Each structure stands twice: as structure tokens, then as C-alpha cells.
Amino acid sequence: MEYWTEYQGHIPDIQGKRKKFDNTIYTFDIETTSYLILNNKQIPALDYLKLSKQEQQECIFMSNMYIWMFSVNEKVYYGRTWEELRQLLLRIEFWGTDVKKYVFVHNLAYEFQFMRNAFKIKNVFARKSRKPIKFELEEFNFEFRCSYMMSNSSLEKLPDIYQLDVKKLVGNLDYSLIRNSKTKLTKEELAYCENDCLVVYKYIQKELETYKTIKGLPLTSTGHVRKELKEKIIKDYGYRNKVRRSINVDGHIYNMLISAFAGGYTHSNWIYTDEVIENIDSFDFTSSYPYVMVTHKFPASEFRKMNITKFEQMKDCFAYIVYVKFKNIKCKYFNNFISQSKCKRILRGRYDNGRVIGADELEIVLTDVDLKFIRQTYEFDEYEIIECYYSIYEYLPKQFIEFILQKYINKTQFKNVEGKEVEYALEKAKFNSLYGMTVTNNIKDNVEFDNEKGWSEISLNNETITNLLEKEKKDAFLSFSYRSLGYCLGKI
């Protein structure tokens, strides 16, 4: 690793006709130090828990970058201040400001919080506030991308998964020490910093064996398998027509589906919380989510309203979304399953760390799968079906099922085969992304970043939601109702 002033230029790999881009692999990383200011004294951040409550309220949290690393392919340069980084970017852009350059950062959200104070940011793409997937600089033609979002793997695990010939040097940097841009760093510490960039470089290099150009790399881990499926079905009108029939464009139905969607159950039994339990047993299902996607039925038509007053009127051939009110509801077990945050209304509820033990009244939107589960695990005196919508149950499109099965074959044929560790890792990652791709919601509030005001989330109005749903129906890639019923897979 060399000091940034040693950079004397490189031969860019310029590609593209109308919009030119540099296919050179650039990576970036920073190291920071955190500390506290208390009574005008600097103390290590690790000492926070040693302070009294009064001192904890009075102390000021501080953090600063003390070294940055920027690689041009396998060559890593470093500097100690943001101004030095600015000068390096100027040198790199000397040969062409009209050519876009892509910089990969592992866990971009972290670096972003520091860079936003040193550079003017534009064109931020994020699904949540403070979680950018990519952004550009106003002064330079660089786009920074998150390699963690692309790989869904920690920096420590990347070399093992992709059989890279470089490792992250864990333990060579003491994070308890307070450092600044003038702090002298040892050879071991500089080597630790260098390898963080080299690991990302080697990983991107490995991805380019598949995608050929930097510009063509997917932004997220689910993007790999999404791209493959799109190429497979783009001209398959039988597939697209079947998916199109199951997509709803009604904003109210969309909101009902959103309300019904929830994560998997990972809650502890409150009787044993904070206790160490010995001599227990457990088991796991192999490829449980893909198995259910292949063998179970999903909503295959638009949801339509129906007037029913009793659960017994519901038929197994239909998928349902039900807005229901329960009275005097109580869980039968010490594990509690209804999430407080998913309830529309709760009257005199009793809770177990965010889960509902019981309530005098409770209103919630449920799928038919969830409703069956709640009826098995909770008891209640009365119920009222406020709203109910139904869709015809059918298997997922044959082409999608075949795609899932092929991914399983691709994964298993490389398992435990010597010399095929990388192929196995790549196919396993794709196979595990199938469910994530299916439950991804592309219709989200607009997440915006302003250099002066910071982050903001702007809710979509009904007209915008309807337009996006109509676009989704036209594209007919995957149905939103597959996603909303998808979280029930873990309960089947």
C-alpha cells in the first residue's frame, strides 16, 4: 500500500458507446475511532458503561476518520484526511470527467455517514433512511456502491465463500485506541487496512467472471437470481399472463397485503427468557422456503371482496385476506405469536416483549394461513369479520417452479465436490435468494437525501401506488400477492 501522492495514473478500461464508463475496479474503505468528551476531557468510548447515569447524559459522542484506503484494481493507496482523498479523485479524473467510475464499499452505509460531511452527495438510492445502496458525488463522476448489499456476506466470510487468495487480517487493529490523522500506524496496522480493500477487489473480480462489466453487476444479492429469471421469462407470454392475472391494482388491496405481511417467528418462550437451558434438542428443514414455493399453492387471481360472517364459510380452494376483530383473546401457550406492531387496534392488551399475550379487543389483518394458525394457538370469546377478500389458489407458474428446481440441482451438484467450492457458494447464494426475491416489495415510500436537510421518507399517494401497481401488472415478473402470502411459509 502506498501513500496517495504515489499515484501517477493508470490505463482506464473505458467501455460503452453513448454513456461511457470505466471498467476498472475501484474500492474504498475507511477506519475510524470513537471517543467521548466529558468535562472537556477525551475518554475512550469503551468506558461509557463505567460512567454514572449523570455522566452518561452529559458526555458527547465523537467519531472521526483517521485513514482512508482507495484501490485502483489491486493497487491500494491511502491518505489521512478528506482533503487528500479529494486530491486523489482529482488525479484519477484528470484523464476524463465524462466517464463514470464505480467504487465498491463494503457496508456503504457506514462510510456514507462520514462522507456526507466531506462531500456533496447526489442521486442517493436507498430502501431505508441511512441505508444507501449507491450514491454519486456532485463534484466527481464517481458512483459508490455497496458490495455488502451485493454479496450479503461479511468481509471476513467473503474469502472463504468465494475462495479468494486474500484474507481479512482480523485482530491486527486495536479499535479501543483513540487515533487521529497524525497518529503513526505500524506496518501491521497498514497491512490490515490494505487487505480490506483487496478482499473487496478480489470479490468484484470474481463477480466479473459472470457479469463481464462493472456496470452490469446487480446492486443486491437477490439481483443475481432476479436477473436470471427475467432473462428466462421476458418472452414467455404464458408465464407473464398467469402472473398478470394474480396482480392487484387496487390501492386498498395493496394496503391490506402490506398489513398482512410480517417476518418469521423468532421469539423466545418468556418463561425461559434470560435462562441457560441445557440438554435440549432442535431440528431444521433443508431448503424449507423453496420447498413450499414448489409444493404449495398461492393466490392466482386478483383479490375480490366477499361478505362472510363466519370462519366456517371459508373454503380451502381460496386464499383470503381477512380484517378481523377478536374479543377477549388469549394465547393458549407460553409462546405468543401475534405481533403488537401488526395490530390495527388493541384494547387493554397484555404483552410479551412486543407479542400479544391477550387483549380485551384486538383488530388485525390476516391471511388465511395466519388465521388458521391464530385459531389453533389463541382462544377468544367472540370475533367479527370486518372485511374479507378472496383469490383462487393455484400452484406458482410452471416456469418459475422449474427455475427453482434447476437452482436446487445447480447447488447440490457442487456440494462437497473438491475444486468446486466457489461454484457451490455462488449457486447456494442464488438458491437462497429465491425467497428474498419473491418477497421483495418494490413499491416503497420515496427515500430521499438532501445535503442540508439529511434523510426524509415521503409517503406515496394512492395515485402513485396505483400507477406502480399497473406497471407491475404490465411487467408481470412476480405477483405482489406471492410476497404477502410468502411469509407464511415458515408456519406451514
Side-chain angles (χ1 to χ4, degrees), residues 265 270 311 326 328-339 355-359 362 364 366 368-380 490-492:
Y265 183 78
W270 65 268
F311 296 146
F326 295 102
N328 296 323
I329 186 171
K330 182 181 179 181
C331 190
K332 300 177 184 179
Y333 306 100
F334 294 118
N335 291 86
N336 303 290
F337 306 100
I338 296 177
S339 179
R355 300 283 176 165
V356 178
I357 299 173
L362 182 152
I364 189 170
L366 300 169
D368 54 291
V369 178
D370 262 345
L371 180 58
K372 291 175 184 176
F373 182 70
I374 296 303
R375 292 178 65 187
Q376 291 172 357
T377 55
Y378 282 78
E379 55 188 11
F380 43 87
K491 299 173 184 174
I492 296 175

Side-chain angles (χ1 to χ4, degrees), residues 206-447:
K206 185 68 67 175
E207 290 286 11
L208 287 179
E209 293 177 7
T210 302
Y211 295 99
K212 308 306 178 185
T213 68
I214 295 286
K215 191 175 182 181
L217 292 174
L219 288 175
T220 64
S221 58
T222 59
H224 298 275
V225 70
R226 181 185 297 273
K227 187 173 183 179
E228 283 191 37
L229 180 58
K230 280 190 174 181
E231 290 174 354
K232 181 179 178 65
I233 57 88
I234 189 67
K235 294 182 179 180
D236 191 329
Y237 298 104
Y239 170 91
R240 297 179 67 187
N241 285 335
K242 183 168 183 178
V243 172
R244 188 173 288 117
R245 288 196 298 270
S246 65
I247 296 177
N248 301 267
V249 295
D250 186 299
H252 181 64
I253 298 295
Y254 164 80
N255 288 324
M256 293 277 284
L257 291 169
I258 288 291
S259 297
F261 184 86
Y265 183 78
T266 57
H267 207 69
S268 66
N269 185 318
W270 65 268
I271 290 181
Y272 300 109
T273 300
D274 295 330
E275 290 187 26
V276 177
I277 310 299
E278 299 180 354
N279 299 320
I280 63 172
D281 199 3
S282 64
F283 63 91
D284 187 22
F285 292 105
T286 300
S287 305
S288 180
Y289 286 144
Y291 165 76
V292 175
M293 293 166 71
V294 168
T295 60
H296 286 66
K297 295 182 179 181
F298 290 80
S301 64
E302 293 187 36
F303 278 91
R304 299 184 182 277
K305 190 169 185 177
M306 70 183 311
N307 297 316
I308 63 172
T309 58
K310 296 180 180 180
F311 296 146
E312 289 73 20
Q313 295 174 284
M314 300 171 69
K315 306 296 183 182
D316 290 339
C317 61
F318 295 135
Y320 293 91
I321 304 174
V322 183
Y323 183 15
V324 59
K325 178 198 290 186
F326 295 102
K327 290 188 177 181
N328 296 323
I329 186 171
K330 182 181 179 181
C331 190
K332 300 177 184 179
Y333 306 100
F334 294 118
N335 291 86
N336 303 290
F337 306 100
I338 296 177
S339 179
Q340 179 184 357
S341 63
K342 301 303 295 183
C343 296
K344 296 293 186 182
R345 175 176 171 269
I346 303 177
L347 180 63
R348 287 185 286 277
R350 283 83 66 193
Y351 308 106
D352 164 24
N353 192 25
R355 300 283 176 165
V356 178
I357 299 173
D360 289 0
E361 286 188 11
L362 182 152
E363 295 180 13
I364 189 170
V365 177
L366 300 169
T367 66
D368 54 291
V369 178
D370 262 345
L371 180 58
K372 291 175 184 176
F373 182 70
I374 296 303
R375 292 178 65 187
Q376 291 172 357
T377 55
Y378 282 78
E379 55 188 11
F380 43 87
D381 291 344
E382 300 177 33
Y383 69 88
E384 177 189 353
I385 299 176
I386 300 173
E387 286 185 81
C388 181
Y389 298 84
Y390 77 99
S391 170
I392 298 172
Y393 260 140
E394 288 182 8
Y395 291 107
L396 293 176
K398 180 182 177 182
Q399 299 90 328
F400 189 28
I401 291 175
E402 290 175 343
F403 183 77
I404 296 170
L405 293 174
Q406 186 60 53
K407 287 297 162 195
Y408 182 72
I409 293 172
N410 293 349
K411 182 192 78 162
T412 54
Q413 69 181 347
F414 296 125
K415 189 172 184 178
N416 298 323
V417 178
E418 188 175 352
K420 295 293 183 180
E421 293 82 4
V422 175
E423 288 83 352
Y424 174 71
L426 291 171
E427 291 301 331
K428 182 181 179 181
K430 291 178 181 179
F431 183 68
N432 291 341
S433 296
L434 288 168
Y435 172 71
M437 173 187 69
T438 308
V439 300
T440 299
N441 179 15
N442 296 315
I443 304 174
K444 288 185 172 251
D445 293 343
N446 290 323
V447 179

Side-chain angles (χ1 to χ4, degrees), residues 1 69 74 76 189-199:
M1 186 164 68
M69 294 73 66
E74 73 279 3
V76 184
E189 290 171 332
L190 289 174
Y192 175 96
C193 297
E194 179 183 24
N195 270 43
D196 281 3
C197 274
L198 289 177
V199 169

Side-chain angles (χ1 to χ4, degrees), residues 30 105 107-117 121 124 130-132 134-135 449 455:
I30 66 173
V105 187
N107 193 13
L108 181 62
Y110 186 79
E111 273 74 9
F112 178 85
Q113 291 302 110
F114 291 87
M115 292 186 70
R116 59 176 289 189
N117 297 315
I121 307 294
V124 178
R130 299 176 179 82
K131 296 291 184 181
K134 67 175 182 176
F135 66 82
F449 175 80
W455 291 98

